[in-house]
Amino acid sequence: MHTTVGIIGGGPAGLLLARLLHTAGIDSVVLESRDRRYVEQRQRAGILEQATVDALRACGAGARLDAEGMVHDGIELRFDRRAHRVDFPSLADGRRVTVYAQTEVVKDLIALQLAEGGPLLFEAEVHAVEGADTDRPSIHYTHEGEEQTLTCDYVVGCDGFHGVARNAVPEHLRTTYERVYPYSWLGILADAPPAADELIYAHSDRGFALASMRSPSVSRLYLQVPNGTDPAEWSDDRIWDELDARFALDADPGWRLKRGPITSKSVLPMRSHVTEPMAYGQVLLAGDAAHIVPPTGAKGLNLAAADVIVLARALTHWHATGATDLLESYSDTCLRRVWRAEHFSYFMTTTLHTAPDQSPFETRLQISQLDRVATSHHAAAELAENYTGLPLPTGPTG
């Protein structure tokens, strides 16, 4: 089988790319190692930047997003047992974010791909990518018990941190930058109304906490925990009590979360990771295959979407004109935005979390930084502009 673009990975990046290519008249095949049920239930991000929302609407995947997504105009920071709201529209030229779970984005894109797009093969295990430096690279995979080969004009690796696409870039030509953080997140889903209309990020001497949501009746909450924590160690009551303690306010001592049955518990390690370059020959990397951010800045899904939006433009330009200049500059174009998002995610993570060996001096520096956000228009605008999303690059110098 041959296709113009072979896409490894049927998560949001791979599916959005396939949809964008379809609307541009470019054929593709998507290979996903997991089954459809797993992909549609995989819990990940829930905050969409405006550029991500715009791309989903433009490719026909915006109907349910517009009907069910929750538009947010800000976040609340809690620190030193006080609260401060960061208003996005007034600080970031009217930009907002939308809460719409990755599970729902994926469901929408899968439905469109199966109804209108090219082949989407679930349980297709990719073993290797060969010929990256030729004009016809190949993807070797197993599907329905048979070894198969897909040849392509271009291969795009959207197969995540543990995928095989990154190995197509020779080890001696790629550089890895990484930071592993000394804490993790214990994340829960609960059948309980959200604690507030917007997300609450809390810094406390007990550790970080985040109150988010998936819908008006389902809360998504996180606690900072030591690396290696077993979720089974945390009873439901212990989780709720610890969340209340970390969100505590002197001005409102009676404030409590709305409790309900906890339906899911998981522990998420925290790391920052970038692989350079994001391309080699006819193989291009996007999303988690090229970079990982800690979730504190809500950048993971949005960075992946930005990658494939830039890549779809480059592939469309090549398909229409034969020119490869945008494809050749793809890695450099995306990496400028990637590193800004890495920096913002690092800032949010290290400012809000309490490290195991943290000194009182370092804690006071964190509170001072948060207080500056609360009292300085410029500091608040910097946070708001990065959180709602920096402009998408449009070309080699964009």
Side-chain angles (χ1 to χ4, degrees), residues 5 7 9-24 26 28 30 48-49 51-62 65 105-110 112-113 120 156 158 286 300-313 315 392:
V5 182
I7 301 172
L15 292 167
L16 178 57
L17 176 60
R19 184 62 186 173
L20 293 171
L21 294 177
H22 173 76
T23 60
I26 302 172
S28 68
V30 182
L48 306 183
E49 296 174 2
T52 305
V53 171
D54 291 344
L56 290 167
R57 286 174 177 158
C59 72
L65 165 62
V105 173
V106 167
K107 289 174 187 175
D108 295 342
L109 290 170
I110 285 176
L112 284 169
Q113 185 71 9
L120 166 55
V156 180
C158 301
L301 172 57
N302 293 295
L303 266 186
D307 289 347
V308 298
I309 291 168
V310 173
L311 185 51
R313 290 173 182 165
L315 287 165
L392 284 176

Side-chain angles (χ1 to χ4, degrees), residues 61-255:
R64 205 158 63 92
L65 165 62
D66 287 333
E68 300 177 16
M70 296 172 284
V71 177
H72 282 196
D73 285 346
I75 58 172
E76 182 179 306
L77 298 175
R78 293 194 179 185
F79 61 97
D80 204 23
R81 298 180 64 89
R82 51 195 169 104
H84 173 76
R85 181 175 181 271
V86 179
D87 183 78
F88 293 156
S90 66
L91 295 163
D93 297 324
R95 294 200 299 276
R96 297 168 167 84
V97 296
T98 300
V99 176
Y100 189 64
Q102 175 176 311
T103 52
E104 307 314 299
V105 173
V106 167
K107 289 174 187 175
D108 295 342
L109 290 170
I110 285 176
L112 284 169
Q113 185 71 9
L114 294 177
E116 304 174 9
L120 166 55
L121 305 183
F122 292 103
E123 298 180 87
E125 185 71 31
V126 175
H127 307 300
V129 177
E130 294 183 349
D133 55 351
T134 71
D135 60 2
R136 183 161 286 204
S138 58
I139 304 172
H140 301 280
Y141 66 101
T142 301
H143 184 240
E144 297 181 343
E146 294 186 7
E147 299 287 333
Q148 302 193 41
T149 297
L150 174 66
T151 60
C152 323
D153 294 319
Y154 284 93
V155 174
V156 180
C158 301
D159 51 344
F161 182 77
H162 298 290
V164 302
R166 188 167 59 240
N167 294 330
V169 182
E171 188 172 358
H172 70 281
L173 295 180
R174 68 178 190 257
T175 303
T176 296
Y177 304 90
E178 186 171 41
R179 179 187 178 93
V180 177
Y181 296 86
Y183 33 70
S184 300
W185 278 9
L186 171 62
I188 67 165
L189 281 172
D191 290 335
D197 293 335
E198 297 171 340
L199 275 65
I200 305 173
Y201 287 77
H203 172 283
S204 81
D205 55 8
R206 304 174 68 94
F208 169 78
L210 171 61
S212 182
M213 67 282 292
R214 286 293 178 263
S215 75
S217 60
V218 177
S219 292
R220 180 71 162 155
L221 301 125
Y222 300 93
L223 282 169
Q224 176 189 336
V225 293
N227 287 341
T229 293
D230 182 352
E233 298 171 358
W234 286 76
S235 68
D236 291 7
D237 285 343
R238 182 186 177 192
I239 290 172
W240 288 117
D241 290 345
E242 186 63 25
L243 284 165
D244 281 339
R246 297 189 190 187
F247 287 117
L249 295 170
D250 285 341
D252 187 5
W255 191 93

